[in-house]
Amino acid sequence: MCKHQPPCPAAEAADHGASRMIAYHPEQGWGLLCNGVIIFDDTGELLPNGCSIPIHKAMFEPAAA
């Protein structure tokens, strides 16, 4: 799917999030990477094979005491 040189990481690669974004819909909270991965603003992901990766970052960091 990626036509960049050098090619972006594949959807199965550990660093797949380093791929270039080819579509972004901030009003809907998601973007499409050139490797077919859909990323969501809450840090969840949907891989091209249908597998999902749950939210993996805290949206808000607790304030320091």
Side-chain angles (χ1 to χ4, degrees):
M1 190 178 220
C2 177
K3 296 181 181 174
H4 301 112
Q5 291 300 324
C8 293
E12 301 80 25
D15 61 344
H16 63 259
S19 295
R20 293 186 189 181
M21 189 171 300
I22 58 173
Y24 182 52
H25 296 277
E27 71 283 357
Q28 297 176 350
W30 63 274
L32 175 65
L33 302 180
C34 66
N35 58 7
V37 174
I38 298 173
I39 57 169
F40 298 95
D41 288 349
D42 65 2
T43 72
E45 300 175 6
L46 183 61
L47 302 179
N49 64 5
C51 292
S52 63
I53 299 175
I55 297 170
H56 51 278
K57 290 184 188 173
M59 289 293 292
F60 302 99
E61 295 294 326

